[in-house]
């Protein structure tokens, strides 16, 4: 994988999304994020699932020294110091969500507490499949936008 492609894949693991953005020039982060939005909107659900497969469960601490692992740890910093009962509730919520929808619960965790994320998880468990897929796409777009900005900042 080329360096630019690897960097983009750290932002979103959908190969189709990476292909749509790689090899082009962007005048600024806003231009890049607009191109990203268009590419995300064009993804088939299988492409979204490919992106989801690279995301850890809320509450899981990603190991490793990759850029994506570091970003994930930072994004989930609201989980730091979470009480055992709240951690257990998140584990159970993740299990129920995955059984119901067949993929990891995705939420833009940046700036959110564990309690907020648990509340959102429980609320979204009541969604029908199409409503939840729309929510997943919105959350994925938020995460990708944040990561693209971090990528361009060099953090």
């Amino acid at each position: 994988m080329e360096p630019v492609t690897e960097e983009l894949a750290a932002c979103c693991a959908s190969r189709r999304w990476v292909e749509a953005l790689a090899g082009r020039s962007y005048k600024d982060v806003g231009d890049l994020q607009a191109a990203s939005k268009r590419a995300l909107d064009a993804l088939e659900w299988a492409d979204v699932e490919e992106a989801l497969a690279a995301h850890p469960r809320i509450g899981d601490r990603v190991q490793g020294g990759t850029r994506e692992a570091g970003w994930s740890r930072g994004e989930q910093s609201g989980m730091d110091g979470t009480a055992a009962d709240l951690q257990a509730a998140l584990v159970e919520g993740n299990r129920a969500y995955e059984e119901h929808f067949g993929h990891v619960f995705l939420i833009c965790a940046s700036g959110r507490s564990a309690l907020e994320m648990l509340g959102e998880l429980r609320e979204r468990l009541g969604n029908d499949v199409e409503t939840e897929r729309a929510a997943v796409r919105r959350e994925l777009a938020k995460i990708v936008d944040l990561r693209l900005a971090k990528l361009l900042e060099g953090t």
Side-chain angles (χ1 to χ4, degrees):
M1 199 181 282
E2 295 180 32
V4 170
T5 304
E6 287 179 21
E7 298 289 336
L8 287 171
C11 298
C12 180
S14 164
R15 287 173 292 191
R16 191 164 167 221
W17 178 87
V18 169
E19 289 169 6
L21 270 71
R24 291 166 180 74
S25 296
Y26 303 96
K27 62 183 177 190
D28 57 26
V29 69
D31 189 36
L32 177 58
Q33 288 170 328
S36 171
K37 181 183 180 337
R38 287 189 300 275
L40 287 169
D41 288 346
L43 293 181
E44 300 293 329
W45 183 249
D47 301 311
V48 173
E49 288 180 312
E50 181 181 30
L52 291 174
H55 286 271
R57 289 177 182 93
I58 292 298
D60 284 356
R61 297 305 284 174
V62 178
Q63 302 302 311
T66 66
R67 180 181 300 244
E68 185 176 7
W71 285 343
S72 181
R73 285 189 298 272
E75 291 160 1
Q76 288 201 41
S77 63
M79 292 295 303
D80 294 347
T82 299
D85 60 334
L86 184 51
Q87 288 178 358
L90 280 163
V91 167
E92 177 58 26
N94 281 323
R95 184 200 56 73
Y97 182 94
E98 289 174 24
E99 284 179 8
H100 186 67
F101 293 110
H103 57 79
V104 70
F105 170 69
L106 188 72
I107 188 169
C108 183
S110 293
R112 298 179 97 162
S113 72
L115 189 58
E116 288 175 293
M117 290 184 280
L118 178 61
E120 183 74 16
L121 189 157
R122 287 177 171 163
E123 183 177 318
R124 285 174 46 192
L125 268 168
N127 286 346
D128 61 63
V129 171
E130 289 308 311
T131 301
E132 185 53 23
R133 285 183 176 185
V136 167
R137 285 178 178 273
R138 284 190 304 274
E139 295 301 312
L140 180 61
K142 290 177 195 176
I143 293 165
V144 172
D145 272 358
L146 287 172
R147 290 183 175 187
L148 285 170
K150 289 175 189 177
L151 179 65
L152 293 182
E153 290 169 1
T155 60

